[in-house]
Structure formats: C-alpha cells, structure tokens
Amino acid sequence: FGPVGIMRVGADGEMNLIVNPQVEQQEESKLDAVISCTKDAVTQLEIEGSEVSEDIMSQAFDLAFTHASAWHKMMDELRSEYGKPKLE
C-alpha cells in the first residue's frame, strides 16, 4: 500500500483547474476535490462541485495523480538518500 499523496484540486470561474488552491481561490471555486493517490492508483475521493462536467472531473483526477506521482518520486529520493532501514 505505502504512502498516500493527497492533492486538492479546484476550478476557477472559467473551469481552469488549480492544484492546491489558496483559501481565496477555494472560496470562489466551482470544484473542491480532495484526491488521495498511492503510486499506482487513486484511492479516495472527496468532491463537492457546481455544474462540473465529467471531462473536467477526469482532468482533475489526472492532474491530481500526476502531482501525487511527483510527490511520491520526491519521497522515494529522500528515503533512499536519508532514510533508515525498516525494523523487522
């Protein structure tokens, strides 16, 4: 299973997606999606939206997974350089 990367995705008035929007952007957003991802899959969704198309939602999932994948890569690099062996 491993670590989980969590991304919040919002959408502005023109439905441009925003990863980890600021509080002011969240208040005006037409989409509030919190998406949890492992290295391999989206594992949990919490979504609130107003007139959001399936296409936009699909793009939001892809965007969150892409950003979570970058986070997982960074965590793997940090673990390999600074991590300690797991206890048995």
Side-chain angles (χ1 to χ4, degrees):
F1 185 65
V4 177
I6 301 171
M7 302 292 139
R8 181 181 296 269
V9 179
D12 65 15
E14 297 177 9
M15 298 311 288
N16 297 311
L17 296 175
I18 306 164
V19 176
N20 295 327
Q22 306 228 350
V23 174
E24 299 82 22
Q25 292 171 310
Q26 289 177 30
E27 291 170 355
E28 297 175 5
S29 182
K30 292 189 174 208
L31 171 67
D32 183 23
V34 178
I35 303 170
S36 303
C37 308
T38 64
K39 285 184 183 181
D40 303 316
V42 172
T43 57
Q44 184 176 355
L45 307 169
E46 292 184 23
I47 301 168
E48 185 176 330
S50 174
E51 299 180 17
V52 179
S53 70
E54 288 181 31
D55 184 50
I56 296 294
M57 287 306 308
S58 177
Q59 291 175 33
F61 297 156
D62 289 342
L63 186 62
F65 189 75
T66 299
H67 281 265
S69 295
W71 178 84
H72 282 292
K73 181 180 177 195
M74 180 190 67
M75 294 305 293
D76 287 343
E77 291 170 0
L78 289 170
R79 188 179 309 106
S80 68
E81 189 165 338
Y82 301 106
K84 296 179 181 179
K86 290 185 178 183
L87 298 176
E88 296 293 323

